[in-house]
Amino acid sequence: EIVMTQSPATLSVSPGERATLSCRASQSVNSDLAWYWQKPGQAPRLLMYGASTRATGIPARFSGSGSGTEFTLTISSLQSEDFAVYYCQQYNIWPLTFGGGTKVEIK
Amino acid sequence: EVQLVESGGGLIQPGGSLRLSCAASGFTVSTYYMSWVRQAPGKGLEWVSVLYSGGTIHYADSVRGRFIISRDSSKNTLYLQMNSLRAEDTAVFYCARAYRDGHNAFDYWGQGTLVTVSS
């Protein structure tokens, strides 16, 4: 099973600042990497797939990069609605696996 | 508009069985890869099972032999039959749609249904 490791576990950021989240796979997943965000009491929502393609309706301040084992999600200027938990997920090899999440909180 | 609505969760004793349903609208369940994903209280996401449009099925090791995924095309509904339930199966269960065949990033999720396994 591919282990997905996200860092940091918690990221404290002020509104308007840039946030950089990392996700590492224990072996290559090519570009089969998705990012989700989840707010308390809500279902996850797809942000990014194919490592760098924004899902429908996702604003341009979100960008994704990486391939193989190292991936990054960048939020260029944090808005109040962006404070949430972010998960990465690989879908290259069964079983599908998720990272443990990064909580982005208000500094 | 695409919608997924789960139901069937509740409190069940260890060793018991439960069947979850995921009613879909706005698209045809049988033409997409559909998965169940669960989230234990305060924890992260865990993929549980997938049913391909072509009928292939995969399970996570933690549920293989106990859970069965299926669909009813006439009702446009996905199911998860859960047997021999354990305390560690306690979680919110979500159904989710893959955005494209063979590419299991989930573009639509249901609101989730809570399963609590406890005596």
Side-chain angles (χ1 to χ4, degrees):
Chain A
E1 157 173 330
I2 295 178
V3 177
M4 306 300 292
T5 302
Q6 290 187 242
S7 61
T10 304
L11 189 59
S12 298
V13 186
S14 299
E17 288 188 339
R18 181 186 192 92
T20 302
L21 288 67
S22 296
C23 175
R24 174 177 293 178
S26 60
Q27 65 187 77
S28 177
V29 298
N30 297 318
S31 294
D32 294 336
L33 191 284
W35 289 94
Y36 303 86
W37 63 353
Q38 185 179 35
K39 297 182 181 180
Q42 296 185 18
R45 181 183 173 190
L46 181 64
L47 280 172
M48 206 79 60
Y49 60 89
S52 60
T53 302
R54 281 190 302 277
T56 302
I58 300 302
R61 64 180 180 272
F62 290 90
S63 63
S65 64
S67 67
T69 62
E70 300 284 343
F71 300 89
T72 300
L73 176 71
T74 301
I75 312 169
S76 60
S77 176
L78 271 157
Q79 306 298 302
S80 58
E81 61 266 30
D82 301 337
F83 292 96
V85 179
Y86 291 79
Y87 294 97
C88 62
Q89 176 226 336
Q90 68 81 18
Y91 52 94
N92 185 253
I93 294 175
W94 299 104
L96 309 182
T97 48
F98 292 85
T102 290
K103 181 180 181 181
V104 177
E105 63 177 25
I106 300 174
K107 186 174 182 180
Chain B
E1 179 193 5
V2 170
Q3 269 200 313
L4 296 167
V5 179
E6 301 95 338
S7 61
L11 175 63
I12 188 77
Q13 291 190 339
S17 296
L18 213 53
R19 188 179 81 157
L20 306 183
S21 300
C22 170
S25 57
F27 75 103
T28 303
V29 160
S30 61
T31 64
Y32 282 83
Y33 286 25
M34 296 295 299
S35 277
W36 288 95
V37 177
R38 68 184 179 182
Q39 187 170 35
K43 302 298 184 182
L45 301 166
E46 179 188 16
W47 171 79
V48 172
S49 181
V50 64
L51 175 53
Y52 288 11
S53 52
T56 298
I57 289 171
H58 293 291
Y59 295 101
D61 286 347
S62 58
V63 306
R64 187 176 291 112
R66 301 187 299 124
F67 290 10
I68 300 171
I69 192 171
S70 64
R71 66 187 176 216
D72 184 333
S73 297
S74 67
K75 296 182 179 179
N76 207 30
T77 297
L78 180 74
Y79 299 100
L80 186 68
Q81 176 67 42
M82 304 187 297
N83 302 319
S84 302
L85 282 161
R86 306 166 180 166
E88 55 265 35
D89 294 317
T90 294
V92 174
F93 282 74
Y94 299 99
C95 63
R97 188 187 86 166
Y99 81 96
R100 202 171 103 192
D101 277 6
H103 296 263
N104 288 282
F106 304 119
D107 60 351
Y108 285 94
W109 298 65
Q111 85 289 349
T113 187
L114 176 62
V115 172
T116 303
V117 184
S118 175
S119 54

